[in-house]
Short mmCIF file of all heavy atoms in Angstrom, two decimals:
data_model
loop_
_atom_site.label_atom_id
_atom_site.label_comp_id
_atom_site.label_asym_id
_atom_site.label_seq_id
_atom_site.Cartn_x
_atom_site.Cartn_y
_atom_site.Cartn_z
N PHE A 513 -2.86 10.32 -5.76
CA PHE A 513 -2.46 9.04 -5.16
C PHE A 513 -1.11 9.22 -4.46
O PHE A 513 -0.20 9.85 -5.02
CB PHE A 513 -2.34 7.99 -6.26
CG PHE A 513 -2.48 6.57 -5.79
CD1 PHE A 513 -3.70 5.92 -5.82
CD2 PHE A 513 -1.36 5.86 -5.35
CE1 PHE A 513 -3.82 4.59 -5.42
CE2 PHE A 513 -1.47 4.54 -4.94
CZ PHE A 513 -2.71 3.90 -4.98
N PHE A 514 -0.96 8.70 -3.24
CA PHE A 514 0.31 8.88 -2.52
C PHE A 514 1.47 8.32 -3.34
O PHE A 514 1.30 7.40 -4.14
CB PHE A 514 0.26 8.24 -1.13
CG PHE A 514 0.54 6.76 -1.10
CD1 PHE A 514 1.76 6.27 -0.63
CD2 PHE A 514 -0.41 5.84 -1.54
CE1 PHE A 514 2.03 4.90 -0.59
CE2 PHE A 514 -0.15 4.47 -1.50
CZ PHE A 514 1.06 4.01 -1.04
N LYS A 515 2.62 8.92 -3.15
CA LYS A 515 3.82 8.52 -3.87
C LYS A 515 4.89 8.16 -2.86
O LYS A 515 5.23 8.96 -2.00
CB LYS A 515 4.28 9.64 -4.81
CG LYS A 515 3.25 9.80 -5.96
CD LYS A 515 3.15 11.19 -6.48
CE LYS A 515 1.90 11.57 -7.24
NZ LYS A 515 0.87 10.64 -7.60
N ARG A 516 5.39 6.93 -2.95
CA ARG A 516 6.35 6.45 -1.97
C ARG A 516 7.55 5.89 -2.73
O ARG A 516 7.45 4.89 -3.46
CB ARG A 516 5.68 5.37 -1.11
CG ARG A 516 6.28 5.16 0.28
CD ARG A 516 7.68 4.74 0.28
NE ARG A 516 8.23 4.60 1.61
CZ ARG A 516 9.38 5.15 1.98
NH1 ARG A 516 10.07 5.91 1.15
NH2 ARG A 516 9.87 4.92 3.18
N ASN A 517 8.69 6.56 -2.59
CA ASN A 517 9.89 6.18 -3.33
C ASN A 517 11.09 6.08 -2.41
O ASN A 517 11.14 6.70 -1.36
CB ASN A 517 10.15 7.22 -4.42
CG ASN A 517 9.00 7.30 -5.40
OD1 ASN A 517 8.68 6.32 -6.07
ND2 ASN A 517 8.34 8.44 -5.42
N HIS A 518 12.06 5.28 -2.85
CA HIS A 518 13.32 5.15 -2.11
C HIS A 518 14.50 5.69 -2.90
O HIS A 518 15.64 5.57 -2.49
CB HIS A 518 13.56 3.69 -1.72
CG HIS A 518 12.58 3.18 -0.70
ND1 HIS A 518 11.32 2.72 -1.05
CD2 HIS A 518 12.65 3.11 0.65
CE1 HIS A 518 10.68 2.35 0.05
NE2 HIS A 518 11.46 2.58 1.09
N GLY A 519 14.25 6.24 -4.08
CA GLY A 519 15.31 6.80 -4.92
C GLY A 519 14.67 7.64 -6.00
O GLY A 519 13.45 7.87 -5.99
N LEU A 561 -3.80 0.26 -2.22
CA LEU A 561 -2.39 0.09 -1.91
C LEU A 561 -2.11 0.97 -0.70
O LEU A 561 -2.39 2.17 -0.73
CB LEU A 561 -1.58 0.57 -3.12
CG LEU A 561 -0.12 0.17 -3.23
CD1 LEU A 561 -0.02 -1.34 -3.40
CD2 LEU A 561 0.52 0.86 -4.42
N GLN A 562 -1.62 0.37 0.36
CA GLN A 562 -1.35 1.13 1.58
C GLN A 562 0.09 0.91 2.01
O GLN A 562 0.55 -0.23 2.10
CB GLN A 562 -2.31 0.69 2.70
CG GLN A 562 -2.07 1.43 4.00
CD GLN A 562 -3.07 1.07 5.11
OE1 GLN A 562 -3.28 1.86 6.02
NE2 GLN A 562 -3.68 -0.09 5.03
N CYS A 563 0.77 1.99 2.27
CA CYS A 563 2.14 1.90 2.78
C CYS A 563 2.11 1.42 4.21
O CYS A 563 1.26 1.85 5.00
CB CYS A 563 2.84 3.25 2.69
SG CYS A 563 4.55 3.17 3.24
N SER A 624 13.54 -4.24 -9.33
CA SER A 624 13.27 -3.00 -10.06
C SER A 624 14.52 -2.49 -10.76
O SER A 624 15.64 -2.94 -10.46
CB SER A 624 12.79 -1.98 -9.04
OG SER A 624 13.00 -0.68 -9.49
N ASP A 626 15.20 0.67 -10.47
CA ASP A 626 15.58 1.90 -9.74
C ASP A 626 16.84 1.67 -8.93
O ASP A 626 17.20 0.54 -8.60
CB ASP A 626 14.44 2.45 -8.88
CG ASP A 626 14.14 1.59 -7.65
OD1 ASP A 626 14.62 0.45 -7.59
OD2 ASP A 626 13.40 2.06 -6.78
N TYR A 636 15.63 -1.83 -5.87
CA TYR A 636 14.57 -2.21 -4.93
C TYR A 636 14.06 -3.62 -5.26
O TYR A 636 13.82 -3.94 -6.42
CB TYR A 636 13.43 -1.20 -5.03
CG TYR A 636 12.39 -1.36 -3.96
CD1 TYR A 636 12.45 -0.60 -2.79
CD2 TYR A 636 11.35 -2.27 -4.10
CE1 TYR A 636 11.49 -0.75 -1.80
CE2 TYR A 636 10.39 -2.43 -3.11
CZ TYR A 636 10.46 -1.66 -1.97
OH TYR A 636 9.52 -1.82 -0.99
N ASP A 666 5.65 7.97 -11.78
CA ASP A 666 5.69 7.89 -10.32
C ASP A 666 5.19 6.55 -9.79
O ASP A 666 5.57 6.13 -8.70
CB ASP A 666 4.80 8.98 -9.71
CG ASP A 666 5.60 10.21 -9.28
OD1 ASP A 666 6.79 10.05 -8.95
OD2 ASP A 666 5.01 11.31 -9.26
N HIS A 667 4.31 5.91 -10.55
CA HIS A 667 3.67 4.69 -10.05
C HIS A 667 4.18 3.42 -10.71
O HIS A 667 3.58 2.36 -10.56
CB HIS A 667 2.15 4.83 -10.15
CG HIS A 667 1.64 5.96 -9.31
ND1 HIS A 667 1.64 5.91 -7.94
CD2 HIS A 667 1.21 7.21 -9.66
CE1 HIS A 667 1.19 7.07 -7.47
NE2 HIS A 667 0.93 7.88 -8.48
N ARG A 672 4.59 -2.61 -13.26
CA ARG A 672 4.82 -2.84 -11.84
C ARG A 672 4.05 -4.05 -11.37
O ARG A 672 3.09 -4.47 -12.01
CB ARG A 672 4.40 -1.62 -11.02
CG ARG A 672 2.89 -1.56 -10.80
CD ARG A 672 2.46 -0.43 -9.90
NE ARG A 672 3.02 -0.54 -8.56
CZ ARG A 672 2.92 0.40 -7.63
NH1 ARG A 672 2.27 1.53 -7.90
NH2 ARG A 672 3.43 0.24 -6.44
N GLY A 680 2.21 -2.11 0.84
CA GLY A 680 2.62 -1.54 -0.45
C GLY A 680 4.03 -1.89 -0.86
O GLY A 680 4.35 -1.96 -2.05
N ALA A 681 4.90 -2.12 0.12
CA ALA A 681 6.31 -2.36 -0.15
C ALA A 681 6.58 -3.56 -1.06
O ALA A 681 7.65 -3.66 -1.66
CB ALA A 681 7.07 -2.56 1.17
N SER A 683 4.69 -4.34 -3.70
CA SER A 683 4.21 -4.04 -5.05
C SER A 683 5.29 -3.26 -5.80
O SER A 683 5.22 -2.04 -5.94
CB SER A 683 2.90 -3.26 -4.99
OG SER A 683 1.86 -4.09 -4.54
N VAL A 684 6.30 -3.97 -6.26
CA VAL A 684 7.50 -3.36 -6.81
C VAL A 684 7.21 -2.64 -8.13
O VAL A 684 6.55 -3.19 -9.02
CB VAL A 684 8.61 -4.42 -7.00
CG1 VAL A 684 9.85 -3.83 -7.67
CG2 VAL A 684 8.96 -5.05 -5.65
N LYS A 685 7.70 -1.41 -8.23
CA LYS A 685 7.51 -0.57 -9.42
C LYS A 685 8.68 -0.76 -10.39
O LYS A 685 9.73 -1.23 -10.01
CB LYS A 685 7.42 0.90 -9.00
CG LYS A 685 6.35 1.16 -7.93
CD LYS A 685 6.05 2.63 -7.75
CE LYS A 685 6.88 3.27 -6.67
NZ LYS A 685 6.42 4.65 -6.33
N TRP A 686 8.50 -0.34 -11.63
CA TRP A 686 9.55 -0.33 -12.67
C TRP A 686 10.27 -1.68 -12.75
O TRP A 686 11.49 -1.79 -12.54
CB TRP A 686 10.59 0.77 -12.38
CG TRP A 686 9.97 2.07 -12.00
CD1 TRP A 686 9.26 2.89 -12.81
CD2 TRP A 686 10.04 2.73 -10.72
NE1 TRP A 686 8.85 4.00 -12.11
CE2 TRP A 686 9.32 3.93 -10.84
CE3 TRP A 686 10.62 2.40 -9.49
CZ2 TRP A 686 9.17 4.81 -9.77
CZ3 TRP A 686 10.48 3.27 -8.43
CH2 TRP A 686 9.77 4.45 -8.57
N TYR A 706 10.51 -3.06 7.19
CA TYR A 706 9.15 -3.62 7.00
C TYR A 706 8.96 -4.95 7.71
O TYR A 706 8.41 -5.90 7.15
CB TYR A 706 8.82 -3.75 5.51
CG TYR A 706 8.76 -2.40 4.81
CD1 TYR A 706 9.66 -2.08 3.79
CD2 TYR A 706 7.82 -1.45 5.18
CE1 TYR A 706 9.62 -0.84 3.16
CE2 TYR A 706 7.78 -0.21 4.56
CZ TYR A 706 8.67 0.08 3.55
OH TYR A 706 8.62 1.30 2.93
N1 LIG B 543 9.15 -0.13 -5.97
C1 LIG B 543 10.34 0.40 -6.28
N2 LIG B 543 10.96 -0.03 -7.36
N3 LIG B 543 10.92 1.36 -5.51
C2 LIG B 543 10.30 1.80 -4.36
O1 LIG B 543 10.84 2.68 -3.69
N4 LIG B 543 8.35 1.60 -2.86
C3 LIG B 543 7.38 0.62 -2.36
C4 LIG B 543 6.50 0.09 -3.46
N5 LIG B 543 7.28 -0.28 -4.62
C5 LIG B 543 9.04 1.25 -4.01
C6 LIG B 543 8.48 0.28 -4.88
C7 LIG B 543 6.54 1.11 -1.28
S1 LIG B 543 7.22 1.12 0.27
C8 LIG B 543 5.23 1.44 -1.47
S2 LIG B 543 4.23 1.85 -0.18
C9 LIG B 543 4.64 1.46 -2.83
O2 LIG B 543 5.57 1.10 -3.82
C10 LIG B 543 4.09 2.84 -3.17
O3 LIG B 543 3.53 2.86 -4.44
P1 LIG B 543 3.12 4.22 -5.12
O4 LIG B 543 4.28 5.16 -5.09
O5 LIG B 543 2.66 3.86 -6.48
O6 LIG B 543 1.99 4.79 -4.30
#
Side-chain angles (χ1 to χ4, degrees):
F513 203 93
F514 83 105
K515 291 150 201 353
R516 204 299 178 230
N517 299 298
H518 292 83
L561 196 65
Q562 179 176 203
C563 182
S624 156
D626 71 347
Y636 189 95
D666 262 333
H667 298 290
R672 79 175 299 172
S683 289
V684 176
K685 306 193 267 190
W686 315 291
Y706 296 117

